[in-house]
Amino acid sequence: VARYFNDDDLAVGTGPVPPRVGATTTYRIFWTADNTLHELTALTLRVPLPPGVTYAERGQASAGDVRFDSASSTMVWTLNRMPESVTRLDGSFDVRVVPTSADAGKILPLTGPLSFEATDAAAGGMILRTMEPLDTNLDTDPQVSGKGKVVE
């Protein structure tokens, strides 16, 4: 999910909301990996960043490795394994946008589609999932939901 405020109503983003032409707004992208059945191995989550969105160098996770691949402009979270005893892992990273005059009146994408892959250690099968891209409308952030259109 993309947020400007966290669940405790504390700002995790900076800058104007709605985003304003020429001004920098930073948003936090939160990732969650839930496990309810078997041990998972070789977990990888990938989130490409669209043109005009930059990584704000604050990647972190409760386990594994979070890195930004500058060649492909993609955030990557990798974990060797997630045992059955671990039911949830979290990560986050910040992105920033500086809208141009051509963006006025538009809702901007913050990410491309998220992809998740892992191996189910018990079944031996590959798990593949994708999620829709996130945007500046922040549908899951009650304080600023619907305030994603760029203003002059």
Side-chain angles (χ1 to χ4, degrees):
V1 297
R3 303 285 300 259
Y4 190 90
F5 291 93
N6 67 14
D7 289 337
D8 296 323
D9 295 329
L10 300 173
V12 292
T14 61
V17 173
R20 188 172 44 243
V21 170
T24 301
T25 301
T26 302
Y27 301 91
R28 182 152 300 158
I29 309 299
F30 291 94
W31 334 6
T32 302
D34 290 318
N35 183 10
T36 58
L37 193 55
H38 299 138
E39 177 175 324
L40 301 177
T41 60
L43 294 85
T44 304
L45 289 92
R46 288 185 178 83
V47 179
L49 301 183
V53 176
T54 57
Y55 171 55
E57 299 182 18
R58 293 194 55 144
Q60 58 188 355
S62 54
D65 177 52
V66 175
R67 65 181 173 77
F68 181 67
D69 179 354
S70 57
S72 65
S73 193
T74 300
M75 286 301 303
V76 182
W77 182 14
T78 56
L79 299 103
N80 290 332
R81 66 186 283 264
M82 186 175 182
E84 285 179 58
S85 60
V86 176
T87 58
R88 181 183 187 130
L89 294 171
D90 298 295
S92 66
F93 63 95
D94 292 355
V95 296
R96 69 174 68 95
V97 295
V98 181
T100 66
S101 56
D103 297 324
K106 296 178 183 175
I107 295 171
L108 301 179
L110 293 175
T111 71
L114 175 140
S115 66
F116 169 81
E117 61 184 62
T119 300
D120 181 317
M126 181 69 101
I127 299 168
L128 301 171
R129 300 277 188 274
T130 59
M131 292 181 63
E132 293 296 316
L134 302 172
D135 60 44
T136 56
N137 219 32
L138 304 180
D139 294 331
T140 59
D141 192 333
Q143 287 198 44
V144 292
S145 179
K147 297 179 182 175
K149 280 188 184 177
V150 175
V151 296
E152 291 276 352

